[in-house]
C-alpha cells in the first residue's frame, strides 16, 4: 500500500497549548489529504481535509499542505482534554479512489 | 441518524468457520471501502468498490472476499478465519475521490 507515515507518539501537551501533528506520504501524485480523529474503540471521524498547498483553518484546527515536500500537518490550538485521541492522516492516491491511512499519532492533552 | 451501518457490532467466530460482515449505507455513495484495523495500527485498506467496479489491494489475502449486490449494501466474507484475522473491520463510503469518507461503527471480530 502507498506509504503514509506519522509519528506514533504519544504526544503530550498541556491544556491550552498548541498540538502539532505531522504526516508524510510517498505518492507524489496524491491529490487530497484528510485528518481523522479516532477515539479508542471507535471509528474514525473527519476533522478536516485539504487539497491545495498552504493553510486551511477551521475553528481551532489548521491543516497545512506542502506538496513539494510531500508533507501535511495538523495544528490544534487551545488544546482541550477532549482532544485526547489518535489522529489519523489519510491520503487519496493519484487518479484513484484509494484512501490510505497512516498509523496515527496518539495525542494526550493534560489538564 | 446513522448513515453507514455495520452489523453486527461484535462477532465471534470459530477458527476456520466462514463469517460474513455486512455494511449498509443511506447516503447513495458510489464508493464503498473495507478496512481492517488491528490494535494500535493504521486502518489497512482491503478493497473498495466504485459502483460495481471491484478493486482489490495487492496485499489483501485471498481469504477475504467481498460482494456488493447493490448501491446500499456491501459484504465482507472471510472464508477461513485464522487467529490473525481478529481485528476491527471498518466500512466506509464516499461520493468519489477527493471527498470525505464516512465510516460505520465497525465490527469487532474475535476468532476462537
Amino acid at each position: 500500500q502507498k506509504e503514509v507515515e506519522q509519528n506514533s507518539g504519544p504526544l503530550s501537551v498541556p491544556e491550552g497549548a498548541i498540538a502539532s501533528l505531522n504526516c508524510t506520504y510517498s505518492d507524489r501524485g496524491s491529490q487530497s489529504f484528510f485528518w481523522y480523529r479516532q477515539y479508542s474503540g471507535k471509528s474514525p471521524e473527519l476533522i478536516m481535509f485539504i487539497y491545495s498547498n498552504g493553510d486551511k483553518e477551521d475553528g481551532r484546527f489548521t491543516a497545512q499542505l506542502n506538496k513539494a515536500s510531500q508533507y501535511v500537518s495538523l495544528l490544534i490550538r487551545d488544546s482541550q482534554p477532549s482532544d485526547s485521541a489518535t489522529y489519523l492522516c489519510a491520503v487519496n492516491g493519484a487518479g484513484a479512489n484509494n484512501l490510505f491511512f497512516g498509523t496515527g499519532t496518539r495525542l494526550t492533552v493534560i489538564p | 441518524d446513522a448513515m453507514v451501518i455495520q452489523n453486527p457490532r461484535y462477532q465471534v467466530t470459530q477458527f476456520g468457520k466462514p463469517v460474513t460482515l455486512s455494511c449498509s449505507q443511506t447516503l447513495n455513495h458510489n464508493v464503498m471501502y473495507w478496512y481492517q484495523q488491528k490494535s494500535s495500527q493504521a486502518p489497512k485498506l482491503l478493497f473498495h468498490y466504485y459502483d460495481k467496479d471491484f478493486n482489490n489491494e495487492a496485499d489483501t489475502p485471498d481469504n477475504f472476499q467481498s460482494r456488493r449486490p447493490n448501491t446500499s449494501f456491501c459484504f465482507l466474507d472471510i472464508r477461513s478465519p485464522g487467529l490473525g484475522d481478529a481485528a476491527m473491520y471498518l466500512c466506509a463510503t464516499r461520493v468519489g475521490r477527493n471527498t470525505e469518507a464516512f465510516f460505520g461503527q465497525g465490527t469487532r471480530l474475535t476468532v476462537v
Side-chain angles (χ1 to χ4, degrees), chain B residues 25 28-32 49-52 66-75:
Chain B
Q25 55 139 337
N28 204 36
H29 284 172
N30 295 319
V31 191
M32 293 189 78
Y49 284 89
Y50 184 87
D51 287 336
K52 289 189 176 298
S66 184
R67 297 170 283 136
R68 189 179 185 185
N70 53 52
T71 300
S72 300
F73 286 89
C74 195
F75 300 96

Side-chain angles (χ1 to χ4, degrees), chain A residues 18-25 32-35 47-58 60-77 89-91:
Chain A
I18 296 175
S20 178
L21 306 164
N22 303 316
C23 174
T24 59
Y25 58 95
S32 54
F33 308 86
F34 303 83
W35 283 100
I47 297 173
M48 63 189 305
F49 57 85
I50 186 167
Y51 303 148
S52 303
N53 277 330
D55 295 359
K56 180 181 179 182
E57 186 174 319
D58 184 359
R60 296 187 296 113
F61 300 95
T62 299
Q64 300 173 317
L65 175 61
N66 184 327
K67 289 188 177 181
S69 300
Q70 296 176 237
Y71 173 92
V72 59
S73 66
L74 180 70
L75 300 177
I76 307 174
R77 289 182 299 280
C89 172
V91 176

Side-chain angles (χ1 to χ4, degrees), chain B residues 3-110:
Chain B
M3 297 177 288
V4 183
I5 302 168
Q6 293 187 243
N7 284 304
R9 292 287 310 280
Y10 301 91
Q11 176 74 56
V12 180
T13 191
Q14 291 180 329
F15 182 94
K17 183 175 181 181
V19 65
T20 294
L21 310 182
S22 72
C23 177
S24 63
Q25 55 139 337
T26 60
L27 300 165
N28 204 36
H29 284 172
N30 295 319
V31 191
M32 293 189 78
Y33 300 89
W34 279 106
Y35 289 90
Q36 178 195 63
Q37 188 176 28
K38 297 184 178 181
S39 180
S40 301
Q41 295 185 19
K44 177 180 182 294
L45 182 61
L46 296 174
F47 22 62
H48 74 273
Y49 284 89
Y50 184 87
D51 287 336
K52 289 189 176 298
D53 292 336
F54 176 70
N55 296 271
N56 194 35
E57 291 302 308
D59 56 355
T60 297
D62 292 339
N63 196 27
F64 292 85
Q65 304 286 317
S66 184
R67 297 170 283 136
R68 189 179 185 185
N70 53 52
T71 300
S72 300
F73 286 89
C74 195
F75 300 96
L76 170 62
D77 301 309
I78 308 177
R79 293 192 294 185
S80 181
L83 298 178
D85 297 327
M88 175 77 87
Y89 289 87
L90 295 164
C91 173
T93 76
R94 60 176 178 168
V95 173
R97 59 190 173 97
N98 303 327
T99 62
E100 175 186 357
F102 294 84
F103 282 83
Q105 292 176 299
T107 294
R108 182 163 296 280
L109 178 69
T110 300

